[in-house]
Amino acid sequence: MTQTTHTQTTPPGPAGRPRSPEFRLAADALRGLRQDLFQDAFAYDPLPRRSADGALTRRLSAGWLPHAVVAALGVMAMSLAMASSFDSGPAALLCGLLALAPVLLTLARPVGAFWFSLAASTAAAVIGRGDFSDWPWLPGSFLSHLVVLTVVALRTRPRTAASMWVMTAVYGFVTAGLFGWHRYDSNVTPMLFVSALILLAVSLRHIRRQAQQEVTAQQTVTEHERSRRTLLEERTTIARELHDVVAHHMSVVAIQAEAAPYRVENPPEELEKAFVTIRENAVAALTELRRVLGVVRAEDYEAPDAPQPTLADLDGLLANVREAGLTVEKAVTGAVRELPQGVELSAYRIVQEALSNTLRHAPGASARVEIGYVLGGLGLRIVNTPPPAPQLIKPSPGAGHGITGMRERVSMLNGEMTAAATEDGGYEVTVFLPVPAATASEGDA
């Protein structure tokens, strides 16, 4: 028996019937209004300083710029309130302070500043009353409330801005209907129209900023996935190439183990069994290598007909890039010797990729390839001059992939690599591939 449970989020009606969609919509709206404007309305939330780079004076001025703008708008509202007041002296000053205080309060308690603005507007209307003055906002209070709505909307979310607009409409119509019937004019409609335009612009700004943040986050994730995919593709390419190298050596081991007993007259039985075991292990290793290659092989991958290249084939590579328009020269130092095939293949691919990058990112430049045979391994240096017209070079969509492949090859051989721009505007790649002394001596033999 399967037991199911049902969770009902909306309380049922009087007769146990579920609430209507209209009721749920109204309940959600009231709940959002309470959370936006009533819950922790006077909580301390200071306006943060803007981050700015540069000199100390520029950082200070840019950091406090939003605070200065808000204070300047508050002073403007105060001046307008004092200038438009029918009374002079303390009453005009009090009306000015009632217009200034809500604006300054938005710097520390934004939602509380909205409620204080409504209360200050009422007090200013009573203190600065006149027979033909607008109601319920005097000119100074009108500007002050618009500034408060704008600043609070900028500091909160669009839903809070909509809640403030609704409460402003309720306040305006109630005060105009109950207390402003004898007034010459009412400015509720202008307040709602202007504030709606301002809040709409602020909400669009919030939506645009949120969309930009989402796009930036998505681009970051996409770039990370692209880098990861590029890394896996480079490793797969290296695995395919090294398969041929390792398979060749294992084939040689298997053939030599099979032929060795026939080179010795009357070999001991133990020696024959040992060679049989060596051959079987070599064949088993070849089978596992083919399985690994089958895993990393792409659908369109075709095994190469020719052997994997080595440093002996480097002259052919340089001839090809010269035909493509790249002026390149080669310099070899040290005693040239045969190195392990994996090292020579990696060195060839590194030079190939470095020269391809020069053709792609620095057209018209010249390059130099330096190969150094040292005691502990092999050193490579590929450097190119700056392009003649860098401003005409278009960005390449594959930028950075070649460096990733080179680093993977060097890391596989426990080597070291640096790739950076030169002081004259060119680019330099330096690599050291270690080769154990025993391996190097075997290669010489």
Side-chain angles (χ1 to χ4, degrees):
M1 179 181 295
T2 303
Q3 183 178 1
T4 59
T5 59
H6 175 69
T7 303
Q8 187 169 350
T9 58
T10 304
R17 293 173 297 180
R19 299 292 188 182
S20 63
E22 293 79 5
F23 179 86
R24 292 198 297 269
L25 183 61
D28 292 340
L30 291 176
R31 188 181 303 109
L33 183 64
R34 179 178 60 86
Q35 293 176 353
D36 293 336
L37 298 183
F38 292 94
Q39 187 175 353
D40 297 331
F42 286 87
Y44 182 65
D45 184 16
L47 178 65
R49 293 177 54 187
R50 290 179 56 185
S51 59
D53 299 328
L56 179 60
T57 56
R58 293 201 300 269
R59 290 200 299 267
L60 290 176
S61 60
W64 294 107
L65 181 60
H67 304 74
V69 172
V70 173
L73 292 174
V75 172
M76 290 176 57
M78 178 181 178
S79 302
L80 181 60
M82 295 177 64
S84 60
S85 177
F86 285 91
D87 299 327
S88 60
L93 179 60
L94 183 57
C95 289
L97 293 177
L98 288 174
L100 174 64
V103 177
L104 297 182
L105 189 59
T106 58
L107 299 176
R109 306 179 191 274
V111 179
F114 168 75
W115 292 113
F116 185 67
S117 177
L118 295 180
S121 299
T122 305
V126 174
I127 296 172
R129 62 185 181 275
D131 294 337
F132 302 101
S133 60
D134 289 336
W135 183 267
W137 288 280
L138 297 181
S141 301
F142 191 94
L143 177 59
S144 175
H145 193 67
L146 283 178
V147 173
V148 169
L149 288 176
T150 304
V151 175
V152 177
L154 287 172
R155 299 196 56 196
T156 55
R157 51 185 175 175
R159 192 181 76 174
T160 304
S163 301
M164 290 190 304
W165 189 87
V166 170
M167 293 305 300
T168 299
V170 171
Y171 167 82
F173 287 123
V174 170
T175 53
L178 295 181
F179 307 104
W181 55 270
H182 62 286
R183 300 285 174 172
Y184 178 77
D185 193 9
S186 171
N187 54 10
V188 175
T189 301
M191 168 62 75
L192 295 180
F193 179 75
V194 176
S195 61
L197 293 179
I198 294 176
L199 296 181
L200 178 61
V202 172
S203 299
L204 291 177
R205 178 178 179 271
H206 277 299
I207 295 173
R208 182 173 179 272
R209 175 176 293 183
Q210 183 178 2
Q212 288 178 341
Q213 292 176 351
E214 292 177 357
V215 170
T216 302
Q218 185 63 35
Q219 289 177 345
T220 302
V221 173
T222 303
E223 185 64 26
H224 176 73
E225 291 297 329
R226 185 184 295 112
S227 300
R228 184 173 179 272
R229 184 173 64 252
T230 301
L231 181 62
L232 294 178
E233 290 175 354
E234 293 295 338
R235 290 180 177 178
T236 301
T237 302
I238 296 172
R240 294 170 187 164
E241 295 178 349
L242 290 182
H243 166 269
D244 297 334
V245 176
V246 178
H248 170 73
H249 289 295
M250 295 304 298
S251 300
V252 172
V253 170
I255 293 174
Q256 290 180 345
E258 185 176 6
Y262 299 100
R263 297 183 178 183
V264 180
E265 185 178 357
N266 298 324
E269 184 177 355
E270 293 80 4
L271 183 61
E272 291 183 354
K273 290 182 179 180
F275 281 122
V276 170
T277 302
I278 293 173
R279 181 182 181 279
E280 291 177 351
N281 289 334
V283 173
L286 280 172
T287 303
E288 295 299 327
L289 278 175
R290 294 190 183 97
R291 290 177 182 174
V292 172
L293 182 63
V295 172
V296 301
R297 181 188 292 120
E299 295 180 357
D300 57 348
Y301 174 75
E302 297 181 359
D305 298 332
Q308 293 292 352
T310 63
L311 289 176
D313 305 310
L314 198 57
D315 291 335
L317 173 63
L318 299 183
N320 290 334
V321 296
R322 290 191 184 103
E323 292 178 359
L326 177 64
T327 303
V328 57
E329 59 179 2
K330 176 181 127 177
V332 180
T333 59
V336 179
R337 64 185 185 277
E338 183 180 356
L339 300 175
Q341 193 171 358
V343 175
E344 296 219 2
L345 171 61
S346 296
Y348 180 91
R349 294 301 186 196
I350 290 172
V351 174
Q352 183 183 38
E353 189 59 45
L355 295 178
S356 298
N357 287 344
T358 302
L359 286 170
R360 187 183 304 115
H361 303 296
S366 59
R368 177 180 174 85
V369 178
E370 299 178 1
I371 304 174
Y373 291 86
V374 295
L375 183 61
L378 179 70
L380 300 174
R381 181 175 179 266
I382 307 96
V383 59
N384 62 267
T385 60
Q391 67 278 3
L392 301 179
I393 300 176
K394 297 181 180 180
S396 175
H401 291 189
I403 299 296
T404 302
M406 286 189 279
R407 292 192 187 280
E408 282 299 308
R409 294 182 184 275
V410 173
S411 175
M412 176 190 64
L413 297 173
N414 297 322
E416 299 177 359
M417 171 182 166
T418 59
T422 58
E423 295 181 356
D424 60 352
Y427 204 82
E428 179 181 5
V429 177
T430 58
V431 174
F432 176 74
L433 303 178
V435 178
T439 305
S441 62
E442 291 175 1
D444 297 338

